[in-house]
Structures are given as C-alpha cells and as structure tokens.
Amino acid sequence: MPAETGPPGGGTVPAHDADVLLGRVARGDERAFELLYEVAAPVVFGLARRVVRDPAMAEEVAQEAMIEVWRSAARYDPARGGAMAWIATIAHRRAVDRVRREQAAGEREARAARAGTGAGPADPVVERVETRLEHERVRRCLRTLTRLQRESVTLAYYGGHSYREVAALVGAPPNTVRTRMRDGIIRLRDCLGVAG
C-alpha cells in the first residue's frame, strides 16, 4: 500500500500521486516536495542521463530540474497534461541546454586552439578567466561533499596539514578523517571528471 501523508487541511493523499503532490508543492508544501522528489527524481535523472550521457553532469541537470520544479510549481497547469510530463519537459529542456552549452564551450576552445597555433604567447585575460572558472568548478564540487569531507580535504590540500593534524583540527579520530578524506577525494575526482 503506498505511503500516505496528511495535507495541512486534513485528509490523506497517496504519495505516488504526482499531480496532487505538485499542487501541494505549488502552495509551498515542503513535505509534498520531498515525496514528489522521491517519485520524480529517478525519472528526471534517467532522462537527463540519456541526453547528456555523462553521469555526473546528468546528476547536476537532474538537481537543477528539480529545483526548477520547486520554484515554478505554481505555473503548472493540470489542464495541459500530467505532473510527470510537465516535470519531464523541464528536465529535458535543462539537459538539452546543458548539451548545447558544453558543445558551444568545446567549439570556442577549438577555435581558440586553431587561432592560437603559432600566434605567440597565450592571452593573459583568457588565462585568468579560465583559472577563475576552474576555481569555481572546484568550489562547486567541494560543496557536494559532507562537512567533514570538505573540511578535511580543504585543510589537507589547501592548508598543507597531515591527516593527523586535520584530525586534531576538526576533532575527529584520525581513521575517520582518513576515510572521509579518501571518500571526499573520490567524489571530487568524479565531480571534476578526472580519470582515476
């Protein structure tokens, strides 16, 4: 039997009924969004994965799509189709936009490489922008880590501390810190698309 939840006005709503849940989300019901997320997120991720191919990028697209669902739920019109179709449309649009951005970036890089062949020193402005974008990418990936992973990795790699020093600084056992650092580095590598 599907889980049921009580809406603020009383009564019960089947957790699998995306149309009803989306209506509640449109009214700002956070619990309804949690339930809707459980129902819709796997579908959204699967759709994003088929479009963008890269699992980490698909995960980002799925998160962006679900945030958009939360923010724009009030614009959902049930007369124009079911909630899952509406959510899938948002996810597909986000995924296609991401593919286009990635392709455009690749084309810009290719043009810059062709233009830069034998053209002398690299443009310092371009280098600064690329460095800033790379730093932002690392910061974005660091935000995907748990608090202990983020603190441990930051203290070790940016602060130059050993894992024992990190353990003392964060007040956690050294073995815990070592495990969290290893897990955090793996997650960072996956997020940044670095080969293992």
Side-chain angles (χ1 to χ4, degrees), residues 74-127:
R75 291 198 302 258
Y76 165 63
D77 180 1
R80 298 182 66 190
M84 289 305 292
W86 183 76
I87 292 169
T89 300
I90 289 173
H92 185 263
R93 188 176 63 239
R94 285 272 179 177
V96 169
D97 287 348
R98 176 62 67 93
V99 169
R100 287 179 180 153
R101 277 197 313 270
E102 293 295 319
Q103 286 174 340
E107 290 169 6
R108 280 193 302 274
E109 288 175 11
R111 280 195 304 272
R114 285 192 302 269
T117 306
D123 185 342
V125 174
V126 171
E127 287 180 3

Short mmCIF file of all heavy atoms in Angstrom, two decimals, residues 74-127:
data_model
loop_
_atom_site.label_atom_id
_atom_site.label_comp_id
_atom_site.label_asym_id
_atom_site.label_seq_id
_atom_site.Cartn_x
_atom_site.Cartn_y
_atom_site.Cartn_z
N ALA A 74 3.98 26.63 -9.17
CA ALA A 74 2.75 27.41 -9.27
C ALA A 74 2.34 27.63 -10.73
O ALA A 74 1.17 27.91 -11.02
CB ALA A 74 2.90 28.75 -8.56
N ARG A 75 3.28 27.47 -11.67
CA ARG A 75 2.96 27.67 -13.09
C ARG A 75 2.42 26.40 -13.75
O ARG A 75 2.01 26.43 -14.91
CB ARG A 75 4.20 28.16 -13.84
CG ARG A 75 4.60 29.57 -13.43
CD ARG A 75 5.52 30.21 -14.45
NE ARG A 75 6.74 29.46 -14.67
CZ ARG A 75 7.92 29.77 -14.17
NH1 ARG A 75 8.05 30.81 -13.38
NH2 ARG A 75 8.98 29.05 -14.44
N TYR A 76 2.46 25.29 -13.02
CA TYR A 76 1.95 24.03 -13.58
C TYR A 76 0.44 24.13 -13.81
O TYR A 76 -0.31 24.55 -12.95
CB TYR A 76 2.25 22.88 -12.62
CG TYR A 76 1.49 21.61 -12.92
CD1 TYR A 76 1.67 20.93 -14.12
CD2 TYR A 76 0.57 21.11 -12.01
CE1 TYR A 76 0.97 19.78 -14.39
CE2 TYR A 76 -0.13 19.95 -12.27
CZ TYR A 76 0.07 19.29 -13.46
OH TYR A 76 -0.63 18.15 -13.74
N ASP A 77 0.02 23.75 -15.01
CA ASP A 77 -1.40 23.78 -15.38
C ASP A 77 -1.85 22.35 -15.67
O ASP A 77 -1.52 21.79 -16.72
CB ASP A 77 -1.60 24.66 -16.61
CG ASP A 77 -3.05 24.75 -17.05
OD1 ASP A 77 -3.93 24.15 -16.38
OD2 ASP A 77 -3.31 25.42 -18.07
N PRO A 78 -2.62 21.73 -14.76
CA PRO A 78 -3.03 20.34 -14.96
C PRO A 78 -3.87 20.14 -16.22
O PRO A 78 -3.92 19.03 -16.76
CB PRO A 78 -3.84 20.01 -13.70
CG PRO A 78 -3.92 21.23 -12.88
CD PRO A 78 -3.08 22.29 -13.50
N ALA A 79 -4.48 21.20 -16.71
CA ALA A 79 -5.29 21.07 -17.93
C ALA A 79 -4.43 20.80 -19.16
O ALA A 79 -4.91 20.31 -20.17
CB ALA A 79 -6.10 22.36 -18.14
N ARG A 80 -3.14 21.08 -19.05
CA ARG A 80 -2.25 20.90 -20.20
C ARG A 80 -1.47 19.59 -20.15
O ARG A 80 -0.66 19.33 -21.02
CB ARG A 80 -1.28 22.08 -20.28
CG ARG A 80 -2.03 23.40 -20.50
CD ARG A 80 -1.11 24.56 -20.63
NE ARG A 80 -0.32 24.43 -21.85
CZ ARG A 80 0.70 25.20 -22.15
NH1 ARG A 80 1.08 26.13 -21.30
NH2 ARG A 80 1.35 25.05 -23.27
N GLY A 81 -1.69 18.77 -19.12
CA GLY A 81 -1.01 17.49 -19.03
C GLY A 81 -0.70 17.13 -17.60
O GLY A 81 -0.86 17.93 -16.68
N GLY A 82 -0.23 15.89 -17.40
CA GLY A 82 0.08 15.40 -16.07
C GLY A 82 1.35 16.01 -15.50
O GLY A 82 2.19 16.54 -16.22
N ALA A 83 1.48 15.89 -14.19
CA ALA A 83 2.64 16.45 -13.49
C ALA A 83 3.94 15.83 -13.96
O ALA A 83 4.93 16.54 -14.17
CB ALA A 83 2.47 16.25 -11.98
N MET A 84 3.96 14.52 -14.14
CA MET A 84 5.21 13.87 -14.55
C MET A 84 5.63 14.32 -15.95
O MET A 84 6.82 14.47 -16.21
CB MET A 84 5.08 12.35 -14.46
CG MET A 84 5.04 11.83 -13.04
SD MET A 84 6.45 12.34 -12.01
CE MET A 84 7.78 11.44 -12.79
N ALA A 85 4.67 14.54 -16.83
CA ALA A 85 5.01 15.03 -18.17
C ALA A 85 5.60 16.44 -18.07
O ALA A 85 6.56 16.77 -18.76
CB ALA A 85 3.79 15.02 -19.07
N TRP A 86 5.01 17.26 -17.21
CA TRP A 86 5.49 18.63 -17.02
C TRP A 86 6.92 18.61 -16.46
O TRP A 86 7.80 19.33 -16.93
CB TRP A 86 4.54 19.37 -16.09
CG TRP A 86 4.86 20.81 -15.86
CD1 TRP A 86 4.65 21.85 -16.70
CD2 TRP A 86 5.45 21.37 -14.68
NE1 TRP A 86 5.07 23.03 -16.12
CE2 TRP A 86 5.57 22.76 -14.88
CE3 TRP A 86 5.89 20.82 -13.47
CZ2 TRP A 86 6.10 23.61 -13.92
CZ3 TRP A 86 6.42 21.67 -12.51
CH2 TRP A 86 6.53 23.06 -12.74
N ILE A 87 7.15 17.75 -15.47
CA ILE A 87 8.47 17.64 -14.86
C ILE A 87 9.48 17.11 -15.88
O ILE A 87 10.61 17.61 -15.98
CB ILE A 87 8.41 16.74 -13.61
CG1 ILE A 87 7.60 17.43 -12.52
CG2 ILE A 87 9.81 16.38 -13.12
CD1 ILE A 87 7.24 16.53 -11.34
N ALA A 88 9.07 16.12 -16.67
CA ALA A 88 9.96 15.56 -17.69
C ALA A 88 10.33 16.61 -18.73
O ALA A 88 11.47 16.64 -19.22
CB ALA A 88 9.31 14.35 -18.36
N THR A 89 9.39 17.49 -19.06
CA THR A 89 9.67 18.56 -20.02
C THR A 89 10.73 19.50 -19.47
O THR A 89 11.66 19.90 -20.18
CB THR A 89 8.37 19.34 -20.34
OG1 THR A 89 7.43 18.44 -20.90
CG2 THR A 89 8.63 20.48 -21.31
N ILE A 90 10.60 19.85 -18.20
CA ILE A 90 11.61 20.71 -17.57
C ILE A 90 12.98 20.03 -17.61
O ILE A 90 13.99 20.64 -17.97
CB ILE A 90 11.22 21.03 -16.11
CG1 ILE A 90 10.02 21.99 -16.10
CG2 ILE A 90 12.40 21.61 -15.33
CD1 ILE A 90 9.45 22.24 -14.71
N ALA A 91 13.02 18.75 -17.24
CA ALA A 91 14.28 18.01 -17.21
C ALA A 91 14.89 17.93 -18.60
O ALA A 91 16.11 18.13 -18.78
CB ALA A 91 14.06 16.60 -16.65
N HIS A 92 14.08 17.65 -19.61
CA HIS A 92 14.59 17.53 -20.98
C HIS A 92 15.16 18.86 -21.45
O HIS A 92 16.24 18.92 -22.03
CB HIS A 92 13.48 17.05 -21.91
CG HIS A 92 13.96 16.80 -23.30
ND1 HIS A 92 13.84 17.72 -24.31
CD2 HIS A 92 14.61 15.72 -23.83
CE1 HIS A 92 14.38 17.22 -25.42
NE2 HIS A 92 14.86 16.02 -25.14
N ARG A 93 14.43 19.95 -21.17
CA ARG A 93 14.90 21.28 -21.58
C ARG A 93 16.24 21.61 -20.91
O ARG A 93 17.17 22.09 -21.55
CB ARG A 93 13.84 22.32 -21.24
CG ARG A 93 14.15 23.70 -21.79
CD ARG A 93 13.05 24.70 -21.52
NE ARG A 93 12.87 24.90 -20.11
CZ ARG A 93 11.74 24.68 -19.43
NH1 ARG A 93 10.67 24.25 -20.06
NH2 ARG A 93 11.67 24.89 -18.13
N ARG A 94 16.34 21.31 -19.61
CA ARG A 94 17.60 21.55 -18.89
C ARG A 94 18.74 20.73 -19.49
O ARG A 94 19.85 21.23 -19.64
CB ARG A 94 17.44 21.19 -17.41
CG ARG A 94 16.66 22.18 -16.62
CD ARG A 94 17.58 23.22 -16.10
NE ARG A 94 16.86 24.23 -15.33
CZ ARG A 94 17.44 25.22 -14.73
NH1 ARG A 94 18.75 25.36 -14.81
NH2 ARG A 94 16.75 26.11 -14.09
N ALA A 95 18.47 19.48 -19.80
CA ALA A 95 19.51 18.60 -20.34
C ALA A 95 19.98 19.08 -21.72
O ALA A 95 21.18 19.13 -22.00
CB ALA A 95 18.99 17.16 -20.43
N VAL A 96 19.03 19.45 -22.56
CA VAL A 96 19.38 19.94 -23.90
C VAL A 96 20.18 21.23 -23.79
O VAL A 96 21.19 21.41 -24.50
CB VAL A 96 18.12 20.13 -24.76
CG1 VAL A 96 18.41 20.89 -26.04
CG2 VAL A 96 17.49 18.76 -25.08
N ASP A 97 19.77 22.13 -22.89
CA ASP A 97 20.51 23.38 -22.68
C ASP A 97 21.95 23.08 -22.25
O ASP A 97 22.89 23.72 -22.71
CB ASP A 97 19.84 24.25 -21.62
CG ASP A 97 18.56 24.91 -22.11
OD1 ASP A 97 18.30 24.87 -23.34
OD2 ASP A 97 17.81 25.44 -21.27
N ARG A 98 22.11 22.09 -21.37
CA ARG A 98 23.46 21.75 -20.90
C ARG A 98 24.31 21.22 -22.04
O ARG A 98 25.47 21.59 -22.18
CB ARG A 98 23.37 20.72 -19.78
CG ARG A 98 24.73 20.22 -19.28
CD ARG A 98 25.59 21.36 -18.69
NE ARG A 98 25.02 21.86 -17.48
CZ ARG A 98 25.33 21.44 -16.26
NH1 ARG A 98 26.24 20.50 -16.12
NH2 ARG A 98 24.77 21.96 -15.21
N VAL A 99 23.74 20.35 -22.88
CA VAL A 99 24.48 19.81 -24.02
C VAL A 99 24.90 20.94 -24.95
O VAL A 99 26.04 21.01 -25.41
CB VAL A 99 23.65 18.76 -24.77
CG1 VAL A 99 24.29 18.40 -26.10
CG2 VAL A 99 23.49 17.50 -23.91
N ARG A 100 23.99 21.86 -25.20
CA ARG A 100 24.31 23.00 -26.09
C ARG A 100 25.43 23.85 -25.50
O ARG A 100 26.33 24.29 -26.23
CB ARG A 100 23.07 23.84 -26.33
CG ARG A 100 22.08 23.18 -27.25
CD ARG A 100 20.85 24.03 -27.45
NE ARG A 100 19.91 23.36 -28.34
CZ ARG A 100 18.61 23.54 -28.34
NH1 ARG A 100 18.07 24.39 -27.48
NH2 ARG A 100 17.83 22.89 -29.17
N ARG A 101 25.37 24.12 -24.19
CA ARG A 101 26.43 24.92 -23.56
C ARG A 101 27.77 24.21 -23.66
O ARG A 101 28.79 24.84 -23.95
CB ARG A 101 26.10 25.17 -22.08
CG ARG A 101 25.17 26.33 -21.85
CD ARG A 101 25.19 26.83 -20.42
NE ARG A 101 25.07 25.80 -19.40
CZ ARG A 101 23.93 25.35 -18.89
NH1 ARG A 101 22.79 25.83 -19.32
NH2 ARG A 101 23.94 24.42 -17.95
N GLU A 102 27.78 22.90 -23.41
CA GLU A 102 29.03 22.14 -23.48
C GLU A 102 29.58 22.14 -24.91
O GLU A 102 30.79 22.27 -25.11
CB GLU A 102 28.81 20.71 -22.98
CG GLU A 102 28.49 20.61 -21.51
CD GLU A 102 29.62 21.06 -20.61
OE1 GLU A 102 30.78 20.74 -20.92
OE2 GLU A 102 29.34 21.74 -19.61
N GLN A 103 28.70 21.98 -25.90
CA GLN A 103 29.14 21.99 -27.29
C GLN A 103 29.70 23.35 -27.66
O GLN A 103 30.74 23.45 -28.32
CB GLN A 103 27.99 21.61 -28.22
CG GLN A 103 27.64 20.14 -28.18
CD GLN A 103 26.41 19.81 -29.01
OE1 GLN A 103 25.59 20.67 -29.33
NE2 GLN A 103 26.28 18.54 -29.35
N ALA A 104 29.01 24.41 -27.23
CA ALA A 104 29.49 25.76 -27.53
C ALA A 104 30.84 26.01 -26.90
O ALA A 104 31.74 26.59 -27.52
CB ALA A 104 28.47 26.80 -27.05
N ALA A 105 31.02 25.54 -25.67
CA ALA A 105 32.31 25.71 -24.99
C ALA A 105 33.40 24.95 -25.74
O ALA A 105 34.51 25.45 -25.92
CB ALA A 105 32.22 25.24 -23.55
N GLY A 106 33.08 23.73 -26.18
CA GLY A 106 34.05 22.94 -26.94
C GLY A 106 34.43 23.62 -28.24
O GLY A 106 35.61 23.63 -28.64
N GLU A 107 33.43 24.19 -28.92
CA GLU A 107 33.71 24.90 -30.17
C GLU A 107 34.56 26.13 -29.94
O GLU A 107 35.47 26.43 -30.71
CB GLU A 107 32.39 25.27 -30.85
CG GLU A 107 31.65 24.06 -31.41
CD GLU A 107 30.23 24.38 -31.85
OE1 GLU A 107 29.84 25.58 -31.84
OE2 GLU A 107 29.51 23.44 -32.21
N ARG A 108 34.29 26.87 -28.84
CA ARG A 108 35.11 28.04 -28.51
C ARG A 108 36.55 27.63 -28.25
O ARG A 108 37.48 28.29 -28.72
CB ARG A 108 34.54 28.77 -27.29
CG ARG A 108 33.37 29.67 -27.58
CD ARG A 108 33.07 30.61 -26.41
NE ARG A 108 32.80 29.88 -25.17
CZ ARG A 108 31.62 29.42 -24.80
NH1 ARG A 108 30.57 29.59 -25.59
NH2 ARG A 108 31.46 28.79 -23.66
N GLU A 109 36.72 26.54 -27.50
CA GLU A 109 38.07 26.06 -27.21
C GLU A 109 38.79 25.64 -28.50
O GLU A 109 39.98 25.93 -28.67
CB GLU A 109 38.02 24.89 -26.23
CG GLU A 109 37.65 25.30 -24.83
CD GLU A 109 37.48 24.12 -23.90
OE1 GLU A 109 37.85 22.99 -24.28
OE2 GLU A 109 36.97 24.33 -22.79
N ALA A 110 38.06 24.97 -29.38
CA ALA A 110 38.68 24.53 -30.65
C ALA A 110 39.08 25.74 -31.49
O ALA A 110 40.17 25.77 -32.07
CB ALA A 110 37.71 23.64 -31.42
N ARG A 111 38.20 26.76 -31.56
CA ARG A 111 38.53 27.98 -32.32
C ARG A 111 39.74 28.67 -31.71
O ARG A 111 40.62 29.13 -32.41
CB ARG A 111 37.34 28.93 -32.34
CG ARG A 111 36.28 28.58 -33.37
CD ARG A 111 35.31 29.74 -33.61
NE ARG A 111 34.67 30.21 -32.39
CZ ARG A 111 33.54 29.72 -31.89
NH1 ARG A 111 32.93 28.73 -32.48
NH2 ARG A 111 33.02 30.23 -30.79
N ALA A 112 39.76 28.73 -30.36
CA ALA A 112 40.88 29.39 -29.69
C ALA A 112 42.18 28.62 -29.96
O ALA A 112 43.22 29.23 -30.18
CB ALA A 112 40.62 29.48 -28.19
N ALA A 113 42.10 27.30 -29.97
CA ALA A 113 43.29 26.48 -30.23
C ALA A 113 43.78 26.70 -31.66
O ALA A 113 44.98 26.83 -31.90
CB ALA A 113 43.00 25.01 -29.99
N ARG A 114 42.83 26.75 -32.61
CA ARG A 114 43.22 26.99 -34.01
C ARG A 114 43.81 28.39 -34.19
O ARG A 114 44.80 28.57 -34.86
CB ARG A 114 42.01 26.81 -34.94
CG ARG A 114 41.62 25.36 -35.17
CD ARG A 114 40.63 25.24 -36.30
NE ARG A 114 39.42 26.00 -36.07
CZ ARG A 114 38.31 25.53 -35.48
NH1 ARG A 114 38.28 24.31 -35.04
NH2 ARG A 114 37.26 26.30 -35.34
N ALA A 115 43.18 29.35 -33.54
CA ALA A 115 43.65 30.73 -33.67
C ALA A 115 44.99 30.92 -32.97
O ALA A 115 45.81 31.72 -33.39
CB ALA A 115 42.63 31.69 -33.08
N GLY A 116 45.21 30.14 -31.91
CA GLY A 116 46.43 30.30 -31.13
C GLY A 116 47.62 29.57 -31.69
O GLY A 116 48.73 29.76 -31.21
N THR A 117 47.43 28.75 -32.71
CA THR A 117 48.54 27.98 -33.28
C THR A 117 49.57 28.92 -33.88
O THR A 117 49.30 29.64 -34.81
CB THR A 117 48.03 27.00 -34.36
OG1 THR A 117 46.99 26.22 -33.79
CG2 THR A 117 49.14 26.11 -34.85
N GLY A 118 50.73 28.93 -33.29
CA GLY A 118 51.81 29.76 -33.81
C GLY A 118 51.58 31.24 -33.60
O GLY A 118 52.23 32.06 -34.19
N ALA A 119 50.63 31.62 -32.76
CA ALA A 119 50.29 33.03 -32.58
C ALA A 119 51.06 33.68 -31.45
O ALA A 119 50.75 34.79 -31.07
CB ALA A 119 48.79 33.17 -32.34
N GLY A 120 52.04 32.97 -30.86
CA GLY A 120 52.82 33.57 -29.79
C GLY A 120 52.22 33.26 -28.43
O GLY A 120 51.50 32.28 -28.27
N PRO A 121 52.49 34.11 -27.42
CA PRO A 121 52.06 33.82 -26.06
C PRO A 121 50.53 33.84 -25.93
O PRO A 121 49.84 34.53 -26.65
CB PRO A 121 52.70 34.95 -25.23
CG PRO A 121 53.04 36.02 -26.21
CD PRO A 121 53.22 35.36 -27.54
N ALA A 122 50.05 33.07 -24.96
CA ALA A 122 48.62 32.99 -24.71
C ALA A 122 48.11 34.33 -24.15
O ALA A 122 48.86 35.09 -23.56
CB ALA A 122 48.33 31.87 -23.72
N ASP A 123 46.84 34.59 -24.35
CA ASP A 123 46.19 35.81 -23.87
C ASP A 123 46.05 35.73 -22.34
O ASP A 123 45.39 34.84 -21.83
CB ASP A 123 44.82 35.93 -24.54
CG ASP A 123 44.11 37.21 -24.20
OD1 ASP A 123 44.48 37.88 -23.21
OD2 ASP A 123 43.16 37.56 -24.93
N PRO A 124 46.66 36.66 -21.60
CA PRO A 124 46.59 36.59 -20.13
C PRO A 124 45.17 36.75 -19.59
O PRO A 124 44.83 36.19 -18.56
CB PRO A 124 47.50 37.72 -19.66
CG PRO A 124 47.70 38.60 -20.84
CD PRO A 124 47.47 37.76 -22.06
N VAL A 125 44.33 37.51 -20.28
CA VAL A 125 42.93 37.67 -19.85
C VAL A 125 42.21 36.34 -19.95
O VAL A 125 41.50 35.92 -19.03
CB VAL A 125 42.21 38.76 -20.67
CG1 VAL A 125 40.74 38.82 -20.32
CG2 VAL A 125 42.87 40.11 -20.45
N VAL A 126 42.40 35.65 -21.05
CA VAL A 126 41.77 34.34 -21.24
C VAL A 126 42.26 33.37 -20.17
O VAL A 126 41.47 32.63 -19.58
CB VAL A 126 42.07 33.79 -22.66
CG1 VAL A 126 41.59 32.35 -22.78
CG2 VAL A 126 41.40 34.66 -23.72
N GLU A 127 43.55 33.41 -19.89
CA GLU A 127 44.09 32.52 -18.86
C GLU A 127 43.49 32.81 -17.50
O GLU A 127 43.16 31.90 -16.75
CB GLU A 127 45.62 32.64 -18.81
CG GLU A 127 46.31 31.99 -19.98
CD GLU A 127 47.82 32.11 -19.90
OE1 GLU A 127 48.35 32.66 -18.90
OE2 GLU A 127 48.47 31.66 -20.85
#
